[in-house]
Amino acid sequence: MKDLSGREALLRATVVVVSAGGLRALTYRAVAAEAGVSHGLVRHHFGTRDQLIAEAMEYAIDESLKGSNMVGDALTAETFAAGIESLADRESGTQAFQYELLLESRRRPELRALAERHYLAYREAISRQLARLGVRDAELTELIWFALDGIVFKQLVLPESVEPALARLRALVAQAQHAN
């Protein structure tokens, strides 16, 4: 197993284990079983459970943003809204993993930095994409971030059409874009 692909397989396995069973289910053995490797390999790559959690959170954030259009260059108000929808519909395990860690950070202060990293990464991605559309509006960035966060969480719990909310977000972005 190559180091990079091996680490990635272990990070993916960590996301799967936590999204299915919460942090209580996260053990070296559970990750190793999901990845199809020995549990010693997990310890070798990450050393501690907390290091595994931290790197898995970074991995989940990066994968989630790459899977949406929040990091691409070609963008319209329509594709921006579609990226929000893709975060809500795709990679539900990755999103569930992130929410598990966010909730756990309330009980474990050592995870607070991961929660802050999560919120900062998404907020910055939204801000960059709005700037590409010619919109520099911190309040709109916050509104879209809060809407996105709520939409994704809602879709994890009770999936249904989010089109009315997305239509309104598209309208707000288009309005802000034309105001500039």
Side-chain angles (χ1 to χ4, degrees), residues 86-140:
S86 74
L87 281 172
D89 288 340
R90 298 177 60 230
E91 299 295 327
S92 63
T94 301
Q95 302 306 328
F97 169 82
Q98 291 176 80
Y99 284 113
E100 287 288 338
L101 287 184
L102 293 172
L103 289 171
E104 187 66 18
S105 75
R106 292 186 68 224
R107 294 178 285 280
R108 293 183 49 201
E110 67 272 18
L111 296 177
R112 184 168 176 87
L114 295 176
E116 290 170 355
R117 166 73 177 108
H118 168 85
Y119 285 113
L120 182 63
Y122 284 96
R123 189 177 287 117
E124 285 179 348
I126 291 166
S127 180
R128 277 191 308 272
Q129 293 301 60
L130 286 174
R132 285 185 178 113
L133 293 170
V135 177
R136 292 181 184 359
D137 183 335
E139 291 158 352
L140 182 59

Side-chain angles (χ1 to χ4, degrees), residues 10-157:
L10 294 172
L11 293 171
R12 279 184 202 210
T14 302
V15 169
V16 169
V17 167
V18 172
S19 70
L23 277 174
R24 289 185 190 129
L26 182 63
T27 64
Y28 290 144
R29 288 190 191 281
V31 171
E34 181 65 35
V37 299
S38 74
H39 74 277
L41 192 58
V42 180
R43 185 181 305 274
H44 168 76
H45 277 289
F46 300 99
T48 67
R49 185 175 182 264
D50 285 344
Q51 185 62 33
L52 175 61
I53 291 169
E55 289 190 41
M57 182 60 137
E58 289 290 332
Y59 172 80
I61 291 167
D62 292 343
E63 288 298 302
S64 177
L65 288 171
K66 280 193 283 186
S68 73
N69 68 1
M70 293 293 178
V71 293
D73 289 333
L75 196 65
T76 66
E78 287 292 318
T79 57
F80 180 76
I84 292 171
E85 185 172 17
S86 74
L87 281 172
D89 288 340
R90 298 177 60 230
E91 299 295 327
S92 63
T94 301
Q95 302 306 328
F97 169 82
Q98 291 176 80
Y99 284 113
E100 287 288 338
L101 287 184
L102 293 172
L103 289 171
E104 187 66 18
S105 75
R106 292 186 68 224
R107 294 178 285 280
R108 293 183 49 201
E110 67 272 18
L111 296 177
R112 184 168 176 87
L114 295 176
E116 290 170 355
R117 166 73 177 108
H118 168 85
Y119 285 113
L120 182 63
Y122 284 96
R123 189 177 287 117
E124 285 179 348
I126 291 166
S127 180
R128 277 191 308 272
Q129 293 301 60
L130 286 174
R132 285 185 178 113
L133 293 170
V135 177
R136 292 181 184 359
D137 183 335
E139 291 158 352
L140 182 59
T141 297
E142 287 296 300
L143 178 64
I144 290 171
W145 165 235
F146 292 147
L148 169 63
D149 200 28
I151 288 169
V152 171
F153 190 76
K154 163 73 174 54
Q155 290 299 90
L156 286 172
V157 177

